[in-house]
Each structure stands twice: as C-alpha cells, then as structure tokens.
Amino acid sequence: MDKFLTHTGIAAPLKRSAVDTDQIIPAVYLKRVTKTGFEDALFANWRQDPEFLLNQDAYRESTVLIAGPDFGTGSSREHAVWAIQQGGFNAVIAPSFSDIFRNNCGKNGLIVVELAEQVVAKLWSIIETDPQTEITVDVEKLLVEVPSHGLSEKFAMNADTQNRFLNGLDDIAISLKHSDAITAFEKSRPTWFAAKKTN
C-alpha cells in the first residue's frame, strides 16, 4: 500500500444518495480473478447514459469523488474500492459511508472523508461553477481545503487508519511488524502442532 499524506486534484460532484456497491460495480464484473482492470466497471450501468457525470469532459480527469449520504451501502465487495481507485480516484468525500465500505477502503488505500451535508453541498456548488477547482485532502492534518475559496474543513479519522495511510501499511505489512514475536511463538508451539510431512 502506498503512503498517503496529501492529495490535490479536481473533483466530480456525484449528487446521488445511497449509492450501493452494485451501482459502483455491477455484479457481472465480480467474475474476474485479478485485482486489476476494473476501471471500465466503475458505474458501468450509469455510464451508458451519455449525460452521466463521468462521461462529461469537465470531470473526466477528476481524482476526488464527492457523493451524497450513505455511499457504499449494500454487499461487501473490495471490487468496489478497486474500481474507484482504478477509475482514477484517490479520495471519496460524502456525509456518511457504509461501515463495511469504509473498512475496505482503509485496507486498500482509498481515502474516505466524512463531511457535513451542508459542506458537501457547498463543495458541489463550487465545483459546478468551476470544474477545474482544486481540492486538497490532507491526511496528516485531517483537513479538506479549497484554497481558491478559503474553505478549510476538519474531518475525523480513526488513529489506526490514519497510521495505515501515513506509513503505507496494509494488513500484511502490519502483521510483519510483529515478525519476531510470530517467529518466537511458532518455535514455542508443541511439535505435535507441526504439519505432517507427506512422501
């Protein structure tokens, strides 16, 4: 997992609430056996509409997604996180998220930022007025900033999750930090726990 300290980019105002994981990535794409190549799956059904947000030139290069309340509801699927990341997004801002989706994001390096609905509405208005407006998500300071409009908003993040991002730690990397203790434990196990050798 890459370290994530700050990100600055333009944003896409996805003015929809209760966006579930099946809308983020339709189930048909879950048959793939790799963790890559899901950029074409992101909002695949919605993209069939030429007027859909991400089909518009103004938002094709956006790297921050700003959505309505209850983003990422529905079934748990890491594929939804992969599709968002591979679709070019480094952060998602919304008033609220599904807990399972939030946890999957933390394990895969996608920032989720929870801001009040009125702040999200203000961001939507700013972006729609000028789609090239840059937004900064700062994980060190836990701030969302829009310098051109004097906007600066604090957001909350679990300390363990923040540590993951700042140090680029996935579950395996966190486990390996305890490799000496794991090795010592394995050596202390009774021999009858050891796997039997097969000829």
Side-chain angles (χ1 to χ4, degrees):
M1 190 165 121
D2 294 332
K3 292 183 179 181
F4 192 122
L5 281 68
T6 64
H7 172 73
T8 298
I10 62 173
L14 184 65
K15 301 173 75 171
R16 304 190 186 202
S17 300
V19 175
D20 66 34
T21 51
D22 194 54
Q23 292 166 322
I24 295 171
I25 178 171
V28 65
Y29 291 94
L30 306 187
K31 298 175 182 178
R32 295 178 180 176
V33 294
T34 65
K35 292 178 64 174
T36 58
F38 289 100
E39 55 274 5
D40 63 323
L42 180 62
F43 304 126
N45 290 337
W46 293 346
R47 281 183 180 269
Q48 295 177 35
D49 176 3
E51 300 301 314
F52 177 62
L53 176 75
L54 298 184
N55 290 333
Q56 299 176 29
D57 289 339
Y59 304 115
R60 289 185 191 276
E61 302 303 319
S62 53
T63 57
V64 178
L65 186 66
I66 305 181
D70 300 324
F71 188 87
T73 59
S75 63
S76 172
R77 56 183 73 168
E78 284 186 289
H79 301 72
V81 180
W82 304 338
I84 292 170
Q85 291 175 306
Q86 292 162 31
F89 293 97
N90 294 297
V92 182
I93 298 172
S96 56
F97 296 90
S98 155
D99 287 339
I100 294 174
F101 178 79
R102 183 197 301 275
N103 290 339
N104 284 338
C105 288
K107 292 181 178 183
N108 286 279
L110 177 65
I111 295 292
V112 291
V113 174
E114 196 168 293
L115 295 177
E117 287 192 50
Q118 61 267 30
V119 177
V120 167
K122 185 173 183 179
L123 290 171
W124 283 341
S125 177
I126 289 171
I127 296 163
E128 289 177 321
T129 300
D130 180 8
Q132 293 304 305
T133 300
E134 290 192 331
I135 294 177
T136 295
V137 177
D138 190 323
V139 178
E140 284 189 294
K141 299 177 181 177
L142 298 180
L143 283 175
V144 170
E145 299 177 294
V146 186
S148 62
H149 287 73
L151 186 149
S152 181
E153 291 287 337
K154 290 280 292 182
F155 64 91
M157 179 178 285
N158 176 282
D160 289 337
T161 301
Q162 184 184 28
N163 180 60
R164 279 176 175 265
F165 284 113
L166 295 180
N167 295 286
L169 301 173
D170 58 15
D171 285 348
I172 294 174
I174 290 172
S175 296
L176 289 177
K177 291 176 69 175
H178 305 285
S179 59
D180 291 344
I182 293 171
T183 300
F185 172 78
E186 289 295 330
K187 288 181 178 178
S188 70
R189 298 174 74 192
T191 54
W192 53 269
F193 271 123
K196 294 181 179 180
K197 292 183 179 180
T198 57
N199 294 326

